[in-house]
Amino acid sequence: MAEATGLITVAPRSVPARFASRVWRMRRLPLIPMFILAVFVFTGITANWIAPHNPERGDIRARNLPPAWLEGGSTKYLLGTDHLGRDSLSRVIFGARISLIVVAVTLGVGGVFGVLLGLVAGYYGGWVDELVMRVVDIKLAIPTILVALVLVFALGQSFIIIIAILAIAIWPRFARNIRGEVLQLKTMDFVALAKVAGASTPRILFVHIFPGVVNTLIILATLEVGIVILLEATLSFLGAGVPPPTPAWGSMVADGRDRLAVAWWISTMPGLAIMFVVVAMNLFGDWLRDVLDPRLRQLE
């Protein structure tokens, strides 16, 4: 039965039509990247319960076993074992936890620091902006890997040092992008009205301007996740990352680089984990940018 709305009669859509409409709206969702990221987060959180073996304890009698689907493999070690007889699947699972912790802490520290500097530099301008941006330029001109190697060998290899290095590596990107947004927002009428109303500078920054940069911040944070994972894996591969025997994807790739001819799975499994998570995060970030950017939405 049709429903009358003013002068226009609208017929309600059938259940199949509504379902088809919802499926059509979901066509742009990055379902595969979202699934990969969900598995990554779930694995990192529940590593203690789902890992079949202790990732740091090996059985020398079972070293270099191939994955279960290859000849000589065993269902006890689905992804095979490394040169010390440690289960590759368990180490990949616990490596996801390490990557998840590193990403969360690094983005929390480096992201907050970069956002604060970007807000201050963009709002005040003048010599404050000049000083912050020159520091950003200097930081971006210094090779991160080289600085990391020097700091690790000078101060020692520890989890805190790695977090500090990664936070120092990513804060300039947050500062530069947020500063660019603030330069535009501070000229808006609502900021001028807030000043006329007597709002303090912190209130203007965090109540009036900051909500306007949240979309940019979310997109930037998602894209930085892949960079942080790659940086941590690179440092671990070079022996300057998470200290052993803690399983990290980069160090696992390094463990098998000399055995690719006889035990390719030692490096391949964590390498695939890095590739899938980074690609999925980048695709998810691109989709999020398209959704949150009003200029891109107008093009649809």
Side-chain angles (χ1 to χ4, degrees):
M1 181 177 180
E3 298 179 359
T5 58
L7 299 178
I8 302 176
T9 301
V10 179
R13 293 182 299 177
S14 62
V15 173
R18 290 199 298 268
F19 177 76
S21 177
R22 291 176 181 175
V23 171
W24 178 252
R25 288 197 299 269
M26 292 177 61
R27 74 192 188 282
R28 295 173 180 256
L29 286 176
L31 297 179
I32 296 178
M34 291 173 67
F35 174 76
I36 293 174
L37 295 177
V39 171
F40 169 61
V41 174
F42 175 79
T43 301
I45 294 175
T46 62
N48 283 338
W49 296 281
I50 65 175
H53 301 280
N54 187 324
E56 299 177 5
R57 184 179 303 166
D59 183 359
I60 199 66
R61 295 170 297 180
R63 65 190 185 95
N64 293 335
L65 283 181
W69 61 86
L70 296 179
E71 183 180 357
S74 170
T75 55
K76 183 178 179 180
Y77 305 105
L78 294 178
L79 297 184
T81 60
D82 64 7
H83 60 292
L84 297 178
R86 297 173 296 190
D87 180 41
S88 295
L89 175 60
S90 299
R91 291 180 62 78
V92 169
I93 291 174
F94 274 87
R97 164 174 288 186
I98 295 299
S99 296
L100 193 62
I101 294 174
V102 168
V103 165
V105 178
T106 301
L107 290 180
V109 176
V112 169
F113 184 69
V115 168
L116 290 176
L117 285 182
L119 287 172
V120 171
Y123 182 76
Y124 284 102
W127 68 268
V128 176
D129 182 32
E130 190 71 18
L131 176 63
V132 173
M133 288 301 101
R134 295 299 74 77
V135 173
V136 169
D137 291 338
I138 292 172
K139 172 58 195 71
L140 293 177
I142 299 175
T144 300
I145 301 300
L146 179 61
V147 173
L149 292 175
V150 172
L151 290 177
V152 167
F153 290 122
L155 301 177
Q157 191 176 3
S158 68
F159 189 77
I160 296 177
I161 296 297
I162 299 304
I163 294 297
I165 292 171
L166 295 177
I168 293 172
I170 69 168
W171 76 261
R173 297 184 180 90
F174 283 92
R176 172 170 286 183
N177 284 275
I178 297 302
R179 175 249 187 190
E181 293 289 329
V182 174
L183 286 176
Q184 180 180 5
L185 291 174
K186 73 176 184 179
T187 62
M188 299 293 184
D189 291 339
F190 65 88
V191 176
L193 292 174
K195 292 180 180 178
V196 172
S200 63
T201 299
R203 180 175 178 83
I204 293 175
L205 283 175
F206 295 104
V207 176
H208 299 281
I209 294 180
F210 179 72
V213 303
V214 168
N215 287 353
T216 300
L217 178 59
I218 293 174
I219 296 169
L220 184 59
T222 57
L223 295 176
E224 288 296 314
V225 169
I227 295 176
V228 171
I229 291 177
L230 285 177
L231 280 175
E232 185 274 324
T234 301
L235 293 176
S236 296
F237 180 84
L238 295 174
V242 179
T246 304
W249 287 343
S251 61
M252 293 170 64
V253 173
D255 287 341
R257 60 184 172 181
D258 296 329
R259 302 172 178 84
L260 289 175
V262 295
W264 54 265
W265 53 88
I266 300 177
S267 291
T268 301
M269 300 308 173
L272 289 175
I274 295 172
M275 182 190 72
F276 283 132
V277 172
V278 172
V279 171
M281 201 69 230
N282 289 339
L283 292 175
F284 180 74
D286 289 340
W287 171 81
L288 204 60
R289 180 191 58 194
D290 296 341
V291 170
L292 297 179
D293 192 336
R295 292 168 296 185
L296 294 177
R297 288 202 301 268
Q298 292 173 0
L299 299 177
E300 296 181 0

